[in-house]
């Protein structure tokens, strides 16, 4: 139930921001990235409606530009997996749903505006942000700034 609640919160944040149409893969990338941030940051397992507003600052810092979000996600999955094994109850269904979302985010690439023109793969001097320059980007790299901006607009 915790994963579904995190997904609901992420969906509401993105819908409120009205940044992108709901029916797009980009929206899904933003929602799943935010849902993972919300779900994995809930260390105490007490995600509740009252705490949502108080958690916004933490979620903003986790999704901020330059934060090693991908590494943080992988570390949290390892930690949660170890905790589940220690309890001896097998895999948590919420954790499995979160892992499925992560697999989609990490293995799906979307053709989007190049949000990182200074990326070392490009030759020559950095051209600055050109909204017409499009590149294949892992879904989580597109979802991260969408989610971050949606929280600012909330």
């Amino acid at each position: 139930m915790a994963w579904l609640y995190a997904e609901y919160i992420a969906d509401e944040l993105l819908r409120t921001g009205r940044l992108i149409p709901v029916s797009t893969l980009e929206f899904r990338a933003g929602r799943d990235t935010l849902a993972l941030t919300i779900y994995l940051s809930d260390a105490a397992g007490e995600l509740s409606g009252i705490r949502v507003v108080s958690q916004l600052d933490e979620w903003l810092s986790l999704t901020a530009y330059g934060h090693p979000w991908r590494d943080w996600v992988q570390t949290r999955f390892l930690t949660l997996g170890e905790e589940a094994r220690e309890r001896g109850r097998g895999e948590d269904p919420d954790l499995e749903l979160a892992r499925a979302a992560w697999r989609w985010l990490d293995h799906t690439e979307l053709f989007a505006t190049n949000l990182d023109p200074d990326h070392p793969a490009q030759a020559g001097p950095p051209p600055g942000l050109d909204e017409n320059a499009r590149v294949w980007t892992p879904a989580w790299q597109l979802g991260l700034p969408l989610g971050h901006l949606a929280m600012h607009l909330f």
Side-chain angles (χ1 to χ4, degrees), residues 3-154:
W3 170 256
L4 296 176
Y5 190 56
E7 201 173 40
Y8 170 76
I9 294 168
D11 192 80
E12 287 299 312
L13 285 169
L14 278 170
R15 284 176 190 265
T16 301
R18 296 182 183 170
L19 294 170
I20 197 152
V22 176
S23 61
T24 63
L25 288 174
E26 290 83 358
F27 183 89
R28 180 179 174 188
R31 184 196 62 215
D32 286 1
T33 301
L34 261 179
L36 270 176
T37 303
I38 294 165
Y39 175 77
L40 294 175
S41 68
D42 184 35
E46 300 174 353
L47 191 61
S48 68
I50 293 172
R51 292 188 57 218
V52 168
V53 174
S54 67
Q55 295 286 31
L56 280 175
D57 286 338
E58 180 183 357
W59 300 338
L60 280 168
S61 70
L62 289 169
T63 59
Y65 182 79
H67 182 274
W69 186 83
R70 186 177 195 269
D71 295 337
W72 174 79
V73 165
Q74 292 174 332
T75 301
R76 287 295 297 147
F77 274 131
L78 288 173
T79 302
L80 292 174
E82 288 174 17
E83 289 172 2
R85 280 190 295 283
E86 286 173 4
R87 287 190 304 267
R89 291 187 291 197
E91 197 65 45
D92 178 13
D94 287 317
L95 189 55
E96 278 303 307
L97 290 170
R99 284 188 179 157
W102 172 243
R103 282 189 297 274
W104 184 84
L105 285 167
D106 198 37
H107 298 299
T108 301
E109 290 191 347
L110 303 175
F111 197 56
T113 299
N114 184 8
L115 298 176
D116 192 8
D118 298 328
H119 191 272
Q122 295 182 355
L129 184 61
D130 176 7
E131 292 184 20
N132 295 319
R134 311 212 16 112
V135 294
W136 287 103
T137 305
W140 68 268
Q141 283 184 345
L142 182 61
L144 209 51
L146 280 173
H148 187 80
L149 184 55
M151 286 186 285
H152 273 295
L153 294 173
F154 183 74

